[in-house]
Amino acid sequence: MKSVFEIEENRTEIEVKEELDHLEMQVFRMQHNIKEIAKEAEVISIDQTKHDHWVVVYSDKKEDTFQLMLHDCRHTYRGSWHSALQAEYKGSNTLHIAAIKGEEDKGYGSILMHHLKEKARQENIQYITGDLVKRDYDHVDRLMYFYEKHSFDVTVDHDEKCGEIVWNDW
């Protein structure tokens, strides 16, 4: 991956300037977004997507549940997220994924999954589990690929159109 500052022979000065202006705008918007998000939730991280877009990751924790959310800094924060992962504590050693919502194919889910696993490790939680249900079955292959990519064991009953996922950190 080339740095913004590495100029390829076929790029003009105008193209490089436009890219730097775009990056500067994202950083400015990120600063504003972090200030606004921090008023409502805990800012966890700043990350970059597979498409090199800057995102703010933040969380809202309740007693038995929490939600990780992600906001893309190409947009001004107006109180809503671009992707979210909801999880529930099941006993002292398991987090259960209740839902992953938001825009697809942008790398948001992978960023949220990385932070979920990081949270599990910080809290000494051994397992992350989840269910595949009938309403997911129209995209079960995509889900299987996603969870396997993130080191989950995936079991699917194709006849019943359901399944489960398990991540074991130990």
Side-chain angles (χ1 to χ4, degrees):
M1 185 163 102
K2 290 197 179 276
S3 164
V4 171
F5 302 105
E6 292 180 73
I7 301 175
E8 297 174 18
E9 289 179 24
N10 59 347
R11 288 179 35 184
T12 67
E13 278 188 51
I14 293 171
E15 290 171 325
V16 172
K17 183 175 180 342
E18 286 174 357
E19 190 171 338
L20 288 172
D21 288 346
H22 178 73
L23 181 60
E24 183 179 18
M25 188 58 160
Q26 272 195 74
V27 170
F28 174 75
R29 200 173 286 128
M30 182 185 345
Q31 290 172 325
H32 171 77
N33 290 347
I34 289 171
K35 287 177 187 174
E36 293 304 309
I37 291 168
K39 293 175 184 176
E40 303 169 8
E42 177 187 1
V43 174
I44 302 295
S45 177
I46 298 165
D47 275 303
Q48 214 170 5
T49 69
K50 64 183 180 181
H51 301 294
D52 296 328
H53 300 150
W54 289 99
V55 296
V56 177
V57 179
Y58 54 106
S59 73
D60 182 23
K61 185 175 179 183
K62 306 288 188 233
E63 187 174 322
D64 294 332
T65 64
F66 75 96
Q67 181 167 271
L68 288 173
M69 296 153 287
L70 178 148
H71 183 80
D72 191 321
C73 290
R74 291 177 299 157
H75 309 280
T76 301
Y77 179 74
R78 299 196 192 296
S80 62
W81 41 260
H82 289 102
S83 191
L85 187 156
Q86 298 166 332
E88 303 169 345
Y89 290 94
K90 300 287 185 180
S92 61
N93 68 344
T94 303
L95 274 171
H96 184 80
I97 298 171
I100 301 176
K101 302 175 182 178
E103 299 177 36
E104 299 174 358
D105 297 324
K106 299 199 183 275
Y108 297 162
S110 290
I111 291 171
L112 292 173
M113 188 59 69
H114 166 78
H115 288 286
L116 179 67
K117 291 160 106 180
E118 192 175 86
K119 180 158 190 66
R121 289 182 180 118
Q122 287 171 350
E123 296 185 9
N124 205 26
I125 293 174
Q126 181 176 356
Y127 300 103
I128 299 174
T129 62
D131 299 313
L132 302 175
V133 295
K134 238 177 217 180
R135 72 174 175 268
D136 296 328
Y137 211 75
D138 64 335
H139 57 280
V140 73
D141 291 337
R142 235 180 89 226
L143 288 172
M144 289 173 60
Y145 173 78
F146 174 79
Y147 286 117
E148 287 170 352
K149 176 174 83 171
H150 292 285
S151 303
F152 281 77
D153 292 323
V154 180
T155 306
V156 177
D157 182 334
H158 292 285
D159 294 329
E160 296 292 322
K161 296 184 178 181
C162 63
E164 67 179 8
I165 59 163
V166 177
W167 176 79
N168 183 348
D169 196 33
W170 296 347

